[in-house]
Amino acid sequence: MTMSVPLPAGPSRLAGAVQRQGALAVLVTVVVVSLATFPGFRSADNAGTILIAAAPPMLIALGMTFVIITGGIDLSVGSLYVLGGVVAAWASQYGLLAALVAPLLLCGAIGVLNGVLIARTGMAPFIVTLAALLGARGLMRSISDQGSTTYLVRSDAFHELGTGALFGVGYQVWLAAGLVGAGIVVLNRTRFGHAVNAIGGSEDAAALMGLPVRRIKIGVYLLSGLLAGLAGAINAAKLGSGVTVLGSGMELDAIAAVVIGGTLLTGGSGSIAGTVAGVLLLGVIQNLINQVGDVNSNWQQVISGGFLAAVVVAQTYVVRVRRAPSP
C-alpha cells in the first residue's frame, strides 16, 4: 500500500517560521529603517507615545487572539471598548475599584451572552457579535443621553492609572505587558489554552476527546469582553472622561493585528507573541504617518488593509505548504 508522507522538515519548518515570526521580522525591519530615516522617531518620548497608544488595542487584540484561534470572531469589541470607557468614567465617582469593576462586570456579561448564544445555540459568531456590537453601542448612547453627556473621571487614583508612570513607562503599558505575559502562559501552558487550540483545529475531534467545547467557547468570549471593557476603562483614565465617539472600527483593527501576527482566521493556530508584533507594527505605521506631516492619517487604514490582504494570501500559501504531501 502506498502512503503519502509529509513534506521534508525543511520546507515545512520554514513555512511555520514564516507564519509565526513574519510580523516580528517586518516590525524589526520597519523600526530599523525608521530609526535611520526619521530623527523624531529615535526619541524615548516617541517610543513611550507608541507604547501608550498601543496599550488599549493590545488588550483588545489579546482577547481576539483566543477567539480567532477557536475559529470564531468577535465584532463587538469596539462597542464594548467605548461602553467600558463611559461606564468607568461614570463609576469613578465611587472610587478606583468601582471604576475598574463596573465596566468589567458589564462588558464581561455581554461577552458571556455572546458565548452562550454561539456555544449553546450554534448561531454564527459573526451574527451574534454583530448584534452585540449594535446593542452595546445603543446601551452606551442610552447611558450618555445619545452621546450628549460626557462623564468626567472623578477619582484621582483612577486618573493616575491612565497618566502615571513607573520607571518612565506608563502604568497602562505595564498592565498590558503583564496581561500579555499571563495570556502567553495560559495559551501555551494550561489545559484551557490547549483546549482552545484543539477546538480551533477540529471542534468535533475536541468533543470526542472529552474537552468541554461549549464551556471553552463561552470562556474565550468572556475573556474578549473583559479585556475590551478594561481597555476602555484605562483609556478613559488617560483621557479623564468617557468619550462617546471612540471605538468605531476598532474591532477590525484588532482582527487585522491578530491575523498579521500569524493567527489563522480558520482557527487552530496562532500566537500571542505574533499578535503583539502585529499591534506594534500597526502602531509604528501610524506613528510614521504622523512623522510625515503631509500624509493623511487615513492612509493607515489603507496600509493596514494592504498588510491584511497580503498576510491572508501568504497564510493560505503557508498552510498549503505545511499540509501538502510529497509525491
Side-chain angles (χ1 to χ4, degrees), residues 30-50:
V30 171
V31 169
V32 170
V33 172
S34 301
L35 289 172
T37 307
F38 300 100
F41 188 82
R42 304 169 194 163
S43 69
D45 288 343
N46 187 63
T49 298
I50 293 174

PDB file of all heavy atoms in Angstrom, residues 30-50:
ATOM      1  N   VAL A  30      10.926  47.575   9.774  1.00  0.00           N
ATOM      2  CA  VAL A  30      10.323  48.907   9.730  1.00  0.00           C
ATOM      3  C   VAL A  30      10.950  49.820  10.785  1.00  0.00           C
ATOM      4  O   VAL A  30      11.246  50.999  10.525  1.00  0.00           O
ATOM      5  CB  VAL A  30       8.799  48.817   9.921  1.00  0.00           C
ATOM      6  CG1 VAL A  30       8.192  50.210  10.108  1.00  0.00           C
ATOM      7  CG2 VAL A  30       8.155  48.124   8.733  1.00  0.00           C
ATOM      8  N   VAL A  31      11.178  49.289  11.983  1.00  0.00           N
ATOM      9  CA  VAL A  31      11.768  50.094  13.060  1.00  0.00           C
ATOM     10  C   VAL A  31      13.189  50.513  12.701  1.00  0.00           C
ATOM     11  O   VAL A  31      13.579  51.680  12.889  1.00  0.00           O
ATOM     12  CB  VAL A  31      11.743  49.315  14.390  1.00  0.00           C
ATOM     13  CG1 VAL A  31      12.599  50.018  15.442  1.00  0.00           C
ATOM     14  CG2 VAL A  31      10.313  49.187  14.898  1.00  0.00           C
ATOM     15  N   VAL A  32      13.984  49.579  12.181  1.00  0.00           N
ATOM     16  CA  VAL A  32      15.365  49.898  11.820  1.00  0.00           C
ATOM     17  C   VAL A  32      15.412  50.973  10.739  1.00  0.00           C
ATOM     18  O   VAL A  32      16.179  51.938  10.824  1.00  0.00           O
ATOM     19  CB  VAL A  32      16.106  48.622  11.364  1.00  0.00           C
ATOM     20  CG1 VAL A  32      17.456  48.979  10.751  1.00  0.00           C
ATOM     21  CG2 VAL A  32      16.303  47.680  12.538  1.00  0.00           C
ATOM     22  N   VAL A  33      14.592  50.816   9.709  1.00  0.00           N
ATOM     23  CA  VAL A  33      14.548  51.815   8.636  1.00  0.00           C
ATOM     24  C   VAL A  33      14.078  53.169   9.177  1.00  0.00           C
ATOM     25  O   VAL A  33      14.617  54.223   8.819  1.00  0.00           O
ATOM     26  CB  VAL A  33      13.639  51.330   7.488  1.00  0.00           C
ATOM     27  CG1 VAL A  33      13.424  52.444   6.462  1.00  0.00           C
ATOM     28  CG2 VAL A  33      14.231  50.099   6.828  1.00  0.00           C
ATOM     29  N   SER A  34      13.089  53.156  10.066  1.00  0.00           N
ATOM     30  CA  SER A  34      12.556  54.397  10.623  1.00  0.00           C
ATOM     31  C   SER A  34      13.580  55.109  11.491  1.00  0.00           C
ATOM     32  O   SER A  34      13.693  56.346  11.469  1.00  0.00           O
ATOM     33  CB  SER A  34      11.302  54.106  11.449  1.00  0.00           C
ATOM     34  OG  SER A  34      10.318  53.492  10.663  1.00  0.00           O
ATOM     35  N   LEU A  35      14.343  54.346  12.255  1.00  0.00           N
ATOM     36  CA  LEU A  35      15.392  54.946  13.084  1.00  0.00           C
ATOM     37  C   LEU A  35      16.438  55.649  12.233  1.00  0.00           C
ATOM     38  O   LEU A  35      16.979  56.684  12.626  1.00  0.00           O
ATOM     39  CB  LEU A  35      16.059  53.864  13.946  1.00  0.00           C
ATOM     40  CG  LEU A  35      15.221  53.285  15.088  1.00  0.00           C
ATOM     41  CD1 LEU A  35      15.928  52.096  15.723  1.00  0.00           C
ATOM     42  CD2 LEU A  35      14.950  54.356  16.146  1.00  0.00           C
ATOM     43  N   ALA A  36      16.706  55.075  11.071  1.00  0.00           N
ATOM     44  CA  ALA A  36      17.714  55.663  10.185  1.00  0.00           C
ATOM     45  C   ALA A  36      17.162  56.828   9.368  1.00  0.00           C
ATOM     46  O   ALA A  36      17.935  57.677   8.908  1.00  0.00           O
ATOM     47  CB  ALA A  36      18.266  54.587   9.252  1.00  0.00           C
ATOM     48  N   THR A  37      15.846  56.891   9.220  1.00  0.00           N
ATOM     49  CA  THR A  37      15.250  57.864   8.304  1.00  0.00           C
ATOM     50  C   THR A  37      14.638  59.064   9.001  1.00  0.00           C
ATOM     51  O   THR A  37      14.756  60.199   8.521  1.00  0.00           O
ATOM     52  CB  THR A  37      14.169  57.172   7.443  1.00  0.00           C
ATOM     53  OG1 THR A  37      14.726  56.017   6.817  1.00  0.00           O
ATOM     54  CG2 THR A  37      13.629  58.125   6.382  1.00  0.00           C
ATOM     55  N   PHE A  38      13.985  58.841  10.148  1.00  0.00           N
ATOM     56  CA  PHE A  38      13.240  59.900  10.823  1.00  0.00           C
ATOM     57  C   PHE A  38      13.880  60.209  12.176  1.00  0.00           C
ATOM     58  O   PHE A  38      13.793  59.404  13.103  1.00  0.00           O
ATOM     59  CB  PHE A  38      11.787  59.490  11.037  1.00  0.00           C
ATOM     60  CG  PHE A  38      11.044  59.199   9.765  1.00  0.00           C
ATOM     61  CD1 PHE A  38      10.858  57.884   9.341  1.00  0.00           C
ATOM     62  CD2 PHE A  38      10.546  60.222   8.981  1.00  0.00           C
ATOM     63  CE1 PHE A  38      10.180  57.597   8.177  1.00  0.00           C
ATOM     64  CE2 PHE A  38       9.865  59.949   7.812  1.00  0.00           C
ATOM     65  CZ  PHE A  38       9.684  58.643   7.401  1.00  0.00           C
ATOM     66  N   PRO A  39      14.522  61.372  12.302  1.00  0.00           N
ATOM     67  CA  PRO A  39      15.156  61.725  13.582  1.00  0.00           C
ATOM     68  C   PRO A  39      14.160  61.753  14.743  1.00  0.00           C
ATOM     69  O   PRO A  39      14.496  61.359  15.861  1.00  0.00           O
ATOM     70  CB  PRO A  39      15.724  63.127  13.317  1.00  0.00           C
ATOM     71  CG  PRO A  39      15.906  63.182  11.830  1.00  0.00           C
ATOM     72  CD  PRO A  39      14.795  62.372  11.257  1.00  0.00           C
ATOM     73  N   GLY A  40      12.938  62.192  14.480  1.00  0.00           N
ATOM     74  CA  GLY A  40      11.948  62.269  15.546  1.00  0.00           C
ATOM     75  C   GLY A  40      11.509  60.915  16.056  1.00  0.00           C
ATOM     76  O   GLY A  40      10.985  60.808  17.166  1.00  0.00           O
ATOM     77  N   PHE A  41      11.742  59.881  15.264  1.00  0.00           N
ATOM     78  CA  PHE A  41      11.334  58.542  15.656  1.00  0.00           C
ATOM     79  C   PHE A  41      12.251  57.968  16.734  1.00  0.00           C
ATOM     80  O   PHE A  41      11.883  57.056  17.450  1.00  0.00           O
ATOM     81  CB  PHE A  41      11.343  57.620  14.430  1.00  0.00           C
ATOM     82  CG  PHE A  41      10.757  56.260  14.668  1.00  0.00           C
ATOM     83  CD1 PHE A  41       9.385  56.066  14.621  1.00  0.00           C
ATOM     84  CD2 PHE A  41      11.579  55.171  14.946  1.00  0.00           C
ATOM     85  CE1 PHE A  41       8.840  54.808  14.837  1.00  0.00           C
ATOM     86  CE2 PHE A  41      11.039  53.908  15.171  1.00  0.00           C
ATOM     87  CZ  PHE A  41       9.671  53.730  15.122  1.00  0.00           C
ATOM     88  N   ARG A  42      13.479  58.531  16.852  1.00  0.00           N
ATOM     89  CA  ARG A  42      14.500  57.938  17.717  1.00  0.00           C
ATOM     90  C   ARG A  42      14.343  58.300  19.185  1.00  0.00           C
ATOM     91  O   ARG A  42      14.993  57.707  20.027  1.00  0.00           O
ATOM     92  CB  ARG A  42      15.887  58.388  17.249  1.00  0.00           C
ATOM     93  CG  ARG A  42      16.174  58.079  15.793  1.00  0.00           C
ATOM     94  CD  ARG A  42      17.440  58.781  15.338  1.00  0.00           C
ATOM     95  NE  ARG A  42      17.551  58.778  13.880  1.00  0.00           N
ATOM     96  CZ  ARG A  42      18.352  59.577  13.193  1.00  0.00           C
ATOM     97  NH1 ARG A  42      19.124  60.446  13.841  1.00  0.00           N
ATOM     98  NH2 ARG A  42      18.390  59.511  11.877  1.00  0.00           N
ATOM     99  N   SER A  43      13.527  59.273  19.509  1.00  0.00           N
ATOM    100  CA  SER A  43      13.469  59.758  20.881  1.00  0.00           C
ATOM    101  C   SER A  43      12.752  58.770  21.795  1.00  0.00           C
ATOM    102  O   SER A  43      11.864  58.016  21.372  1.00  0.00           O
ATOM    103  CB  SER A  43      12.764  61.113  20.933  1.00  0.00           C
ATOM    104  OG  SER A  43      11.385  60.965  20.640  1.00  0.00           O
ATOM    105  N   ALA A  44      13.136  58.801  23.068  1.00  0.00           N
ATOM    106  CA  ALA A  44      12.483  57.955  24.064  1.00  0.00           C
ATOM    107  C   ALA A  44      11.022  58.361  24.243  1.00  0.00           C
ATOM    108  O   ALA A  44      10.157  57.506  24.477  1.00  0.00           O
ATOM    109  CB  ALA A  44      13.229  58.040  25.390  1.00  0.00           C
ATOM    110  N   ASP A  45      10.749  59.665  24.136  1.00  0.00           N
ATOM    111  CA  ASP A  45       9.364  60.139  24.258  1.00  0.00           C
ATOM    112  C   ASP A  45       8.490  59.552  23.165  1.00  0.00           C
ATOM    113  O   ASP A  45       7.328  59.190  23.400  1.00  0.00           O
ATOM    114  CB  ASP A  45       9.308  61.667  24.206  1.00  0.00           C
ATOM    115  CG  ASP A  45       9.855  62.309  25.472  1.00  0.00           C
ATOM    116  OD1 ASP A  45       9.966  61.596  26.494  1.00  0.00           O
ATOM    117  OD2 ASP A  45      10.170  63.512  25.431  1.00  0.00           O
ATOM    118  N   ASN A  46       9.033  59.449  21.956  1.00  0.00           N
ATOM    119  CA  ASN A  46       8.254  58.886  20.858  1.00  0.00           C
ATOM    120  C   ASN A  46       7.983  57.408  21.088  1.00  0.00           C
ATOM    121  O   ASN A  46       6.881  56.919  20.819  1.00  0.00           O
ATOM    122  CB  ASN A  46       8.998  59.082  19.537  1.00  0.00           C
ATOM    123  CG  ASN A  46       8.157  58.671  18.342  1.00  0.00           C
ATOM    124  OD1 ASN A  46       7.108  59.243  18.065  1.00  0.00           O
ATOM    125  ND2 ASN A  46       8.624  57.653  17.623  1.00  0.00           N
ATOM    126  N   ALA A  47       8.980  56.690  21.605  1.00  0.00           N
ATOM    127  CA  ALA A  47       8.773  55.275  21.917  1.00  0.00           C
ATOM    128  C   ALA A  47       7.688  55.117  22.970  1.00  0.00           C
ATOM    129  O   ALA A  47       6.827  54.226  22.871  1.00  0.00           O
ATOM    130  CB  ALA A  47      10.083  54.648  22.401  1.00  0.00           C
ATOM    131  N   GLY A  48       7.707  55.991  23.980  1.00  0.00           N
ATOM    132  CA  GLY A  48       6.667  55.945  25.006  1.00  0.00           C
ATOM    133  C   GLY A  48       5.294  56.230  24.435  1.00  0.00           C
ATOM    134  O   GLY A  48       4.309  55.598  24.828  1.00  0.00           O
ATOM    135  N   THR A  49       5.229  57.178  23.500  1.00  0.00           N
ATOM    136  CA  THR A  49       3.954  57.502  22.856  1.00  0.00           C
ATOM    137  C   THR A  49       3.395  56.296  22.113  1.00  0.00           C
ATOM    138  O   THR A  49       2.192  55.999  22.184  1.00  0.00           O
ATOM    139  CB  THR A  49       4.143  58.678  21.883  1.00  0.00           C
ATOM    140  OG1 THR A  49       4.572  59.836  22.606  1.00  0.00           O
ATOM    141  CG2 THR A  49       2.846  58.998  21.148  1.00  0.00           C
ATOM    142  N   ILE A  50       4.265  55.576  21.402  1.00  0.00           N
ATOM    143  CA  ILE A  50       3.823  54.394  20.650  1.00  0.00           C
ATOM    144  C   ILE A  50       3.289  53.330  21.603  1.00  0.00           C
ATOM    145  O   ILE A  50       2.227  52.735  21.374  1.00  0.00           O
ATOM    146  CB  ILE A  50       4.983  53.829  19.813  1.00  0.00           C
ATOM    147  CG1 ILE A  50       5.359  54.815  18.697  1.00  0.00           C
ATOM    148  CG2 ILE A  50       4.603  52.473  19.204  1.00  0.00           C
ATOM    149  CD1 ILE A  50       6.594  54.411  17.915  1.00  0.00           C
TER     150      ILE A  50
END
